[in-house]
Amino acid sequence: MSVLVATAAAVQELDADQRGALDACVVAALALSSSEGEATARARLLMECHGRYVRSFGVSDPAPQYPVFVKRLLGGRVADLLPRRPKESALGELQLLDENGVPSSALNRIAVEASEHGHQAPGIGADIRHLHSLLRAVGMLPESAGLTRICGETVQHAVFRALHAAGFEAYTRGREAMVCTPVLSRREVSRNVALTELGAYTAISPTRQFGGLWAACPLCRWTMRATYRLNGTVDLECEDERHSTLGARYRAEPGTDGWTLIPRGELRAVPELRPVEGHVALPYALWLWVTLPGLLEVELRDRLVAMEAEVRLWPFGDAYDLHVTLPGRSRKWRIDVKTWADPYGLAQQLRENPDELGDLCFVVPEHLRTYLPVLRRGVQGTAARVLTETDLLAEVRKG
Ligand SMILES: [Zn+2]
């Protein structure tokens, strides 16, 4: 069972000091695991992080000294790094770095979702700064706003509203491109006016390229993360924990004719290596909150249509994702797909649009089933429901 999907919920359960300490640990872990920029700047950032970390402990509960702090970041569990060690938290099993300093898939995710200082970090920092400027450009992030928390709902709302302003056709086309083609050539993106104006695509992150090349995950088509190994090979892996488990994992080996990709998982098909030059990609947060749920939205549409349901995908701007009816029946489903477990985000979304969203069905992937109780807390007292994809398909089949 993945512990990663519940991070947003688990982080919200922390107190302010614990969250401050987590933020310092996340940025420090990013600085430790990156080779970007100057070594002295990274060392300075690490010391700053330790300073913030110590302050979050207060006087009665002394924080670990700098060498211990760094040692614990390597292979230590997140919960063990925080003041008053939170018990029974989903963070308990989570690591930021492994013992060799290789980032876990949790690290970038927490940096985006829960870090006030993530934009300073090497690697994902550039993605976060891009996201902030995009949100600011569409009026979703006031100049002076604290950057504590960017939730999936906020980002989706901002992006879809901005696309919608360009008209329904441009909206559908832009949203479809962000789902089906999270990496585009610069020429392709320039042909899509709405996407160009939104500035959704940006240069491929240094953390997801090697030797001027990148490779797409066969499952989501986004750039896989590239980690250099000491022996000169490069590990490529989709940032999505599930895609990686399903086999989106390769090793790139250098040779006289360039790089060769070798599968490390069940997927035997080897993706093509493409040049970084001339390509642009969605930043991490847009891939996480637009591409990944979009893949499930499109899949649900196809499966519902195969059951003879009538389905409209992305029917009314950003209100919800699928409108489903059955021929000759009065029952309808208004579905909003969520691929992350964030009860607070659901609650916020319901608060912002109480009228539109009355009997909305939030649908989560089957692997989030164990989070149904916590997600249902987010919609308590409303007419909205939370179902897994399997539950929804069974319900529609019954009619
Ligand atoms: Zn993937």
Side-chain angles (χ1 to χ4, degrees), residues 11 13 19 36-37 68 70 81 85 138 185 267 325 333 349 377:
V11 167
E13 314 266 329
R19 247 185 275 174
E36 206 183 300
V68 181
V70 171
L81 283 154
R85 197 183 181 290
V138 298
S185 71
L267 291 177
T325 51
W333 289 263
Q349 191 178 349
R377 259 195 275 152

Side-chain angles (χ1 to χ4, degrees), residues 165-210:
F168 189 72
E169 209 226 301
Y171 162 77
T172 312
R173 206 158 70 93
R175 188 159 171 183
E176 206 174 322
M178 291 170 78
V179 173
C180 302
T181 50
V183 187
L184 285 170
S185 71
R186 285 189 186 276
R187 192 188 310 176
E188 284 165 325
V189 87
S190 71
R191 280 200 294 254
N192 189 321
V193 179
L195 281 181
T196 308
E197 274 180 13
L198 180 63
Y201 288 77
T202 182
I204 293 174
S205 160
T207 58
R208 292 189 290 278
Q209 53 171 279
F210 65 101

Side-chain angles (χ1 to χ4, degrees), residues 217-222 224 238-240 243-244 248 287 292 295:
C217 164
L219 301 171
C220 64
R221 304 181 194 95
W222 197 54
M224 287 188 280
C238 182
E239 297 260 15
D240 183 77
H243 291 179
S244 163
W287 162 79
L292 287 184
L295 294 171

Side-chain angles (χ1 to χ4, degrees), residues 138-322:
V138 298
M140 293 293 289
L141 195 72
E143 217 51 63
S144 59
L147 304 172
T148 5
R149 183 149 187 273
I150 295 177
C151 73
E153 286 74 16
T154 311
V155 171
Q156 287 190 334
H157 184 63
V159 168
F160 299 154
R161 201 180 59 171
L163 279 179
H164 211 239
F168 189 72
E169 209 226 301
Y171 162 77
T172 312
R173 206 158 70 93
R175 188 159 171 183
E176 206 174 322
M178 291 170 78
V179 173
C180 302
T181 50
V183 187
L184 285 170
S185 71
R186 285 189 186 276
R187 192 188 310 176
E188 284 165 325
V189 87
S190 71
R191 280 200 294 254
N192 189 321
V193 179
L195 281 181
T196 308
E197 274 180 13
L198 180 63
Y201 288 77
T202 182
I204 293 174
S205 160
T207 58
R208 292 189 290 278
Q209 53 171 279
F210 65 101
L213 301 168
W214 64 277
C217 164
L219 301 171
C220 64
R221 304 181 194 95
W222 197 54
T223 49
M224 287 188 280
R225 175 159 41 112
T227 311
Y228 280 89
R229 296 287 174 180
L230 288 174
N231 63 6
T233 65
V234 178
D235 283 355
L236 295 178
E237 185 173 11
C238 182
E239 297 260 15
D240 183 77
E241 208 185 12
R242 276 189 65 249
H243 291 179
S244 163
T245 313
L246 290 170
R249 286 185 288 141
Y250 301 87
R251 171 163 303 124
E253 289 185 355
T256 43
D257 297 334
W259 295 85
T260 315
L261 279 196
I262 299 152
R264 287 192 295 139
E266 312 251 295
L267 291 177
R268 303 322 285 176
V270 172
E272 200 182 322
L273 290 172
R274 293 167 186 273
V276 167
E277 186 74 42
H279 285 96
V280 281
L282 292 182
Y284 179 84
L286 294 184
W287 162 79
L288 182 66
W289 288 319
V290 179
T291 309
L292 287 184
L295 294 171
L296 182 54
E297 286 151 19
V298 170
E299 190 198 322
L300 270 178
R301 190 251 335 250
D302 295 346
R303 293 177 68 180
L304 289 163
V305 166
M307 287 161 53
E308 265 142 40
E310 279 163 14
V311 184
R312 266 183 295 156
L313 189 59
W314 309 325
F316 302 107
D318 67 341
Y320 56 99
D321 300 319
L322 297 126

Side-chain angles (χ1 to χ4, degrees), residues 301-370:
R301 190 251 335 250
D302 295 346
R303 293 177 68 180
L304 289 163
V305 166
M307 287 161 53
E308 265 142 40
E310 279 163 14
V311 184
R312 266 183 295 156
L313 189 59
W314 309 325
F316 302 107
D318 67 341
Y320 56 99
D321 300 319
L322 297 126
H323 188 92
V324 182
T325 51
L326 289 168
R329 307 282 182 86
S330 59
R331 187 155 187 202
K332 66 173 195 310
W333 289 263
R334 300 184 314 132
I335 297 164
D336 205 23
V337 171
K338 297 282 176 243
T339 44
W340 59 93
D342 182 3
Y344 304 89
L346 297 190
Q348 183 187 334
Q349 191 178 349
L350 287 168
R351 266 199 311 277
E352 280 170 7
N353 302 290
D355 305 327
E356 279 171 71
L357 302 179
D359 59 350
L360 198 68
C361 263
F362 290 106
V363 171
V364 298
E366 193 52 36
H367 69 267
L368 290 186
R369 179 175 288 283
T370 49

